[in-house]
Amino acid sequence: MFELIDVNSAVQELALLVDQCLNRRNINASITLAGDLPRVSADRDSLHQVFLNLVNNSCDAMPNGGELEIATRYLSQNQQVEIMFSDSGAGIALDVVEHLFEPMFTTKQSGSGWVS
Ligand SMILES: Nc1ncnc2c1ncn2[C@@H]1O[C@H](COP(=O)(O)OP(=O)(O)OP(=O)(O)O)[C@@H](O)[C@H]1O
Ligand SMILES: [Mg+2]
């Protein structure tokens, strides 16, 4: 269901949810929330799902711990809200980047998809 969502609150809810899990994995999360965000029309559950998937990807990419940064900002020229997830893992290999938006693409034995 689409509704007007405060993205910063959604990010804070996510942070609460994953806090313990990140601590156990020695991942230090830092969150920077922009003060000037307009609310956006979005489906709250889908947004949470995407957030969780991105955090899971970061966890997989940092098996020995590291840094996870989440930041929001408003791009006034495009009237877009940007949510950035960044981690200190090895990064996404160039030959993987071009497949990122393909459903069921994975490089993991345990991923939900065909292993490339
Ligand atoms: N933060 C990241 N750091 C490094 N590689 C990443 C990161 N996020 C994604 N990837 C790469 O992109 C691929 C696709 O990611 P995606 O989340 O679509 O599937 P998956 O993580 O492999 O499987 P699933 O999400 O079902 O567990 C991953 O297999 C991995 O190789
Ligand atoms: Mg994944």
Side-chain angles (χ1 to χ4, degrees):
M1 183 189 69
F2 274 64
E3 56 188 316
L4 279 179
I5 288 190
D6 173 357
V7 167
N8 282 345
S9 305
V11 168
Q12 279 169 320
E13 284 163 25
L14 169 84
L16 279 178
L17 205 66
V18 297
D19 185 53
Q20 275 199 339
C21 177
L22 295 179
N23 280 340
R24 272 201 305 274
R25 290 165 171 267
N26 287 322
I27 295 174
N28 181 46
S30 57
I31 296 174
T32 311
L33 301 175
D36 60 349
L37 289 191
R39 294 200 291 167
V40 298
S41 173
D43 179 82
R44 188 179 295 274
D45 291 342
S46 301
L47 210 54
H48 268 139
Q49 183 116 41
V50 172
F51 288 174
L52 282 177
N53 284 336
L54 292 173
V55 171
N56 272 339
N57 282 349
S58 290
C59 286
D60 288 344
M62 299 187 290
N64 301 314
E67 303 290 325
L68 170 66
E69 276 176 54
I70 307 174
T72 59
R73 65 172 175 157
Y74 182 52
L75 308 174
S76 53
Q77 274 189 335
N78 321 342
Q79 292 188 298
Q80 287 176 343
V81 169
E82 182 181 76
I83 313 164
M84 184 202 70
F85 286 74
S86 140
D87 64 55
S88 62
I92 305 181
L94 277 183
D95 58 329
V96 169
V97 168
E98 58 195 74
H99 296 288
L100 271 194
F101 292 103
E102 282 172 27
M104 312 307 280
F105 175 82
T106 187
T107 60
K108 301 170 191 170
Q109 294 294 338
S110 59
S112 56
W114 298 286
V115 177
S116 75

